[in-house]
Amino acid sequence: YLLDNYKTDPRLGGLLRDREIHIIPMVNPDGVARLSRHNANGADLNRNYGYNWSGGWKSGDRPYSEPEVRAIRDHAMQHAFSLSLSFHCSGDIINTVWNYTPVRAPDNDLIQEISQGYAAFNQYDITVGWDWYETHGDTDDFSYGCRGDIDWTIEVANPGASGIQGVFTKNRDAIV
């Protein structure tokens, strides 16, 4: 979408000209193939990051034990991201930090303001992760806790193989 439209849409042209954008199409292809949140080693990749990792939840033998998580960590540590998000299939929800504690993040007001802006495009519900359910060692908390990168998990209703375009369309303007 960005490459097809940046010449005719000044908003997209500005994004590509003035920002660094990284798109990682899929972190857990093994899980997708197996219809599971776990990779080929049986680990939940979104519980394998080192920030407040606690074991359990099939999170791997140790923090960053899984090659997919190490690749994302290493990539993130090489770049100064300000904002990031990942898509998961669970419902139409914007999940914000923190997930491991009920204490609100220092930037919670800003995080909620940006989240409300995102939700204005698609009417997704917004939740602080802890208020939804507790997790440890997840991507959001790693990005924010280790790097200061405001990170969201965008939970989308499971689109099935033919529904990816619909999810993209519903989220496109919010992402931009």
Side-chain angles (χ1 to χ4, degrees):
Y1 177 78
L2 292 173
L3 297 177
D4 288 344
N5 295 289
Y6 78 96
K7 289 181 180 178
T8 58
D9 185 336
R11 168 182 71 148
L12 298 179
L15 282 176
L16 291 176
R17 196 173 36 257
D18 301 334
R19 289 171 180 73
E20 187 171 312
I21 300 170
H22 295 240
I23 299 172
I24 300 170
M26 186 177 304
V27 175
N28 190 6
D30 296 327
V32 171
R34 296 171 36 189
L35 301 175
S36 169
R37 64 182 300 121
H38 304 98
N39 71 352
N41 296 330
D44 183 339
L45 300 179
N46 202 33
R47 306 293 184 268
N48 189 243
Y49 289 85
Y51 192 81
N52 281 289
W53 184 86
S54 67
W57 291 306
K58 294 190 176 186
S59 60
D61 298 339
R62 64 193 180 289
Y64 307 114
S65 65
E66 302 309 303
E68 302 95 335
V69 171
R70 287 193 305 274
I72 295 297
R73 176 203 59 197
D74 294 350
H75 181 76
M77 297 308 277
Q78 293 170 6
H79 301 280
F81 297 123
S82 300
L83 305 172
S84 59
L85 56 87
S86 60
F87 286 88
H88 294 202
C89 292
S90 179
D92 294 334
I93 299 168
I94 300 166
N95 182 63
T96 70
V97 297
W98 294 114
N99 294 292
Y100 79 96
T101 179
V103 175
R104 296 305 192 233
D107 296 312
N108 188 62
D109 290 345
L110 175 62
I111 293 167
Q112 295 307 310
E113 180 181 338
I114 297 170
S115 299
Q116 290 167 4
Y118 191 106
F121 287 96
N122 54 25
Q123 280 62 76
Y124 284 7
D125 292 328
I126 301 167
T127 187
V128 173
W130 175 269
D131 295 345
W132 191 16
Y133 65 93
E134 176 184 0
T135 64
H136 291 256
D138 63 67
T139 311
D140 294 341
D141 290 356
F142 157 75
S143 295
Y144 187 75
C146 289
R147 307 185 46 268
D149 167 15
I150 298 174
D151 188 282
W152 294 266
T153 298
I154 309 299
E155 298 280 357
V156 298
N158 191 341
S162 63
I164 299 297
Q165 184 61 43
V167 169
F168 170 71
T169 300
K170 190 170 184 177
N171 286 274
R172 180 190 63 216
D173 291 335
I175 293 169
V176 171

